[in-house]
Amino acid sequence: MPEQHPVRIGAESVTTEESMVVTSPYDGHEVARVPKCGPEHVEAAVAAAKAAMAEPLEPWKRAEVLDAAAQSVADHRDELATIIAEEAAKPIKTARTEAERAVLTFQSAAIEARTLTGDVVPIDGAQPGSGKLAFTLRVPRGVVAAISPFNFPLNLVAHKLAPAIAAGCAVVLKPASQTPISAIRLHELLMDECGLPAGWINIVTGSGGTVGDPLVEHEDVAVITFTGSPPVGWAIAAKGAKKKVGLELGNNAPVIIDASGDWETAVAKIAVAGFSHAGQSCISTQRIYVHSSLVDRFTEALVAKVEALVVGDPLDEATDVSALISPDETARVKAWIDEAVGEGATVATGGDQHDRLLTPTILTGITADMEVSRNEVFGPLVGIASFDDLDDALALANDTRYGLQAAIFTAELDGALRAAHELDFGGVLVNEVPTFRSDQMPYGGVRDSGNTKEGPHYAVREMTHERLVVINR
Ligand code: NAP
């Protein structure tokens, strides 16, 4: 029987009698075995994190660890990319980009560790503060429970660990059960190559119900940082009433191509943004609203680009699109396509299932009440609808319970400013796809898409609180 890849809790390498088997979403082969942790491991991990925080890391030391982490991830880029490709079926070239992005995430967090500070409070600007000096200190809130999804198994883990280290908070991480190896390997690098002392990061592998529930309910956990689906996220928020809970959730990202918009640039970008990692990104471009004067040219050009995407083995350098995370997910997306067709949409290209692969799909004539418009597809699918009036396009884009990122292509300043003011999303992109993210920027949604902003500068502020200090002169 293959050996289990241990996780580290405190200074211990932990294995368990039973294993969780990680398999390739592409062809089902066994990638690795990891421990099947239980509530007792959660208990040990939270205790290790609490003990670590009893000996605080000074900011300069946090910055040193984070700088070393950026270097270590860069040095191990190809190894980490191969792990991501194997466990998530992310095409290797996209997986390499994810590893490179994680370098920036650690670099940005190192800057935060070096510069994190409170404010001087102008307390003597009002009579009651006369004769006093006041300022705030940024204080770590406490142990962070981090729960991460399958789709960016390295960089979204980095987006939780890096700011926590910068903030001076120890972490218990529960990675997605389908993709735990990237996180486990990153943790080993942090401890073995980057000088992170034992206990500051601890990993528990196991299902959401078995280890996730006791982790979010643990009384010694002060902060929960969760990225994943809305139902799981909001249920966690309901359980964590006394904790600081940050949720990064789903989306059905819209993009508007106005009559004046550079539609050819939009086509080139959407051919990537709608299909990268088979559309399994929370900001995958999903709903496309194109001005009626452009829609035929736009659709024809997008079909040509999408038909040129290479579908296949994630470890093949040529592959652009590989399998979805599970056969069930492939079947779900295929069913949504068939349902939309039954309701009047047309398949312009794709829509074919070959075992675990789904060919990149463009639907035209989508309407607002179809599942492919209303919900998060999380598959290699975009839908196109046309509009005549920008008012209608803005209303269609806003007709969703999600609110992560939205975009418009327009050459008109008025259109750009209207989009910025009227699109009810956490981020609005102009002449860029809604799928754009640079790791230092504030990133997060409103309404069902979440309640926080990630990006190290912002996440560090969520993981610390401001302690007011008043001194009587
Ligand atoms: P998911 O099913 O919600 O799982 C996310 C994490 O939650 C996994 O680690 C999962 O563990 C864990 N979990 C499940 N039940 C739990 C419970 N009762 N208590 C605690 N943890 C629990 O999401 P996913 O399928 O991995 O990821 C896809 C979703 O993530 C999409 O909706 C996508 O839009 C969203 N996402 C959002 C962002 C963003 O930044 N806004 C980024 C990426 C992805 P198991 O794996 O063991 O079930």
Side-chain angles (χ1 to χ4, degrees):
M1 187 174 294
E3 266 184 44
Q4 224 178 52
H5 196 138
V7 291
R8 303 220 189 142
I9 297 176
E12 303 289 317
S13 275
V14 173
T15 54
T16 58
E17 208 153 289
E18 271 191 87
S19 296
M20 289 205 309
V21 181
V22 179
T23 57
S24 157
Y26 172 63
D27 59 13
H29 78 266
E30 181 172 324
V31 175
R33 285 171 186 234
V34 299
K36 200 175 209 170
C37 295
E40 68 278 21
H41 298 100
V42 172
E43 201 55 54
V46 174
K50 201 175 163 192
M53 288 190 69
E55 289 180 42
L57 284 182
E58 284 189 73
W60 65 266
K61 177 62 183 165
R62 303 174 202 168
E64 267 190 6
V65 169
L66 291 163
D67 276 339
Q71 188 58 53
S72 180
V73 172
D75 293 345
H76 292 269
R77 181 194 71 161
D78 290 340
E79 178 200 347
L80 291 164
T82 305
I83 295 172
I84 297 168
E86 284 259 32
E87 68 177 353
K90 182 171 285 192
I92 187 72
K93 57 193 177 193
T94 319
R96 228 174 265 130
T97 305
E98 180 176 343
E100 284 158 7
R101 285 183 53 187
V103 174
L104 173 58
T105 305
F106 280 107
Q107 286 170 338
S108 304
I111 293 169
E112 294 310 314
R114 288 202 166 85
T115 55
L116 185 64
T117 184
D119 292 319
V120 173
V121 179
I123 198 150
D124 53 2
Q127 194 280 327
S130 175
K132 292 181 168 56
L133 170 69
F135 55 90
T136 60
L137 296 172
R138 280 266 166 203
V139 179
R141 282 186 186 272
V143 173
V144 172
I147 300 175
S148 56
F150 74 82
N151 62 337
F152 285 85
L154 182 72
N155 194 36
L156 288 183
V157 167
H159 266 289
K160 305 202 173 305
L161 304 189
I165 295 169
C169 295
V171 181
V172 178
L173 170 71
K174 194 213 100 51
S177 295
Q178 290 135 324
T179 57
I181 318 292
S182 307
I184 293 173
R185 185 67 189 121
L186 176 64
H187 187 202
E188 289 167 356
L189 295 176
L190 286 167
M191 287 185 72
D192 299 344
E193 293 193 358
C194 307
L196 184 74
W200 281 91
I201 310 283
N202 310 274
I203 295 192
V204 287
T205 43
S207 74
T210 315
V211 294
D213 281 341
L215 181 57
V216 302
E217 283 166 16
H218 202 292
E219 63 178 12
D220 287 336
V221 165
V223 179
I224 299 170
T225 167
F226 173 87
T227 302
S229 59
V232 176
W234 291 114
I236 286 173
K239 283 181 210 153
K242 286 195 197 161
K243 305 179 196 300
K244 179 81 177 169
V245 182
L247 303 176
E248 290 282 5
L249 310 173
N251 193 36
N252 55 358
V255 55
I256 297 168
I257 324 292
D258 193 15
S260 67
D262 178 353
W263 65 271
E264 285 167 305
T265 297
V267 164
K269 285 177 180 274
I270 292 169
V272 179
F275 302 95
S276 185
H277 196 197
Q280 296 166 115
S281 156
C282 45
I283 39 172
S284 194
T285 300
Q286 179 174 324
R287 299 178 289 141
I288 309 174
Y289 301 112
V290 189
H291 192 267
S292 55
S293 61
L294 297 174
V295 72
D296 291 342
R297 278 176 288 170
F298 175 91
T299 304
E300 192 184 333
L302 187 62
V303 166
K305 282 257 183 231
V306 168
E307 287 183 346
L309 295 173
V310 177
V311 182
D313 186 342
L315 291 170
D316 187 333
E317 286 292 337
T319 297
D320 298 302
V321 178
S322 189
L324 278 83
I325 194 69
S326 69
D328 283 354
E329 280 295 280
T330 312
R332 176 187 59 78
V333 179
K334 172 69 177 144
W336 286 18
I337 293 169
D338 293 345
E339 189 182 299
V341 170
E343 290 167 357
T346 302
V347 175
T349 188
D352 303 316
Q353 186 177 347
H354 302 287
D355 192 15
R356 292 167 182 245
L357 297 169
L358 195 58
T359 51
T361 306
I362 301 175
L363 290 176
T364 57
I366 57 160
T367 56
D369 51 355
M370 291 175 180
E371 197 78 350
V372 293
S373 298
R374 283 190 299 119
N375 275 318
E376 181 178 36
V377 171
F378 229 56
L381 162 63
V382 297
I384 300 174
S386 68
F387 69 90
D388 291 313
D389 190 313
L390 185 58
D391 284 340
D392 295 335
L394 292 168
L396 281 165
N398 276 334
D399 183 14
T400 172
R401 65 178 196 275
Y402 299 110
L404 189 46
Q405 293 200 151
I408 185 169
F409 284 78
T410 180
E412 305 285 340
L413 182 61
D414 180 53
L417 290 176
R418 282 199 57 197
H421 284 290
E422 294 176 31
L423 287 173
D424 186 16
F425 288 77
V428 173
L429 292 292
V430 176
N431 297 328
E432 186 48 87
V433 280
T435 315
F436 174 82
R437 181 177 185 185
S438 180
D439 291 280
Q440 83 285 18
M441 76 186 205
Y443 178 79
V446 294
R447 293 177 280 118
D448 260 19
S449 292
N451 64 1
T452 189
K453 287 277 194 270
E454 278 195 345
H457 178 79
Y458 307 90
V460 162
R461 279 153 184 80
E462 297 280 281
M463 292 174 183
T464 52
H465 71 87
E466 280 188 290
R467 177 179 297 151
L468 173 70
V469 180
V470 179
I471 299 174
N472 217 355
R473 287 194 272 123

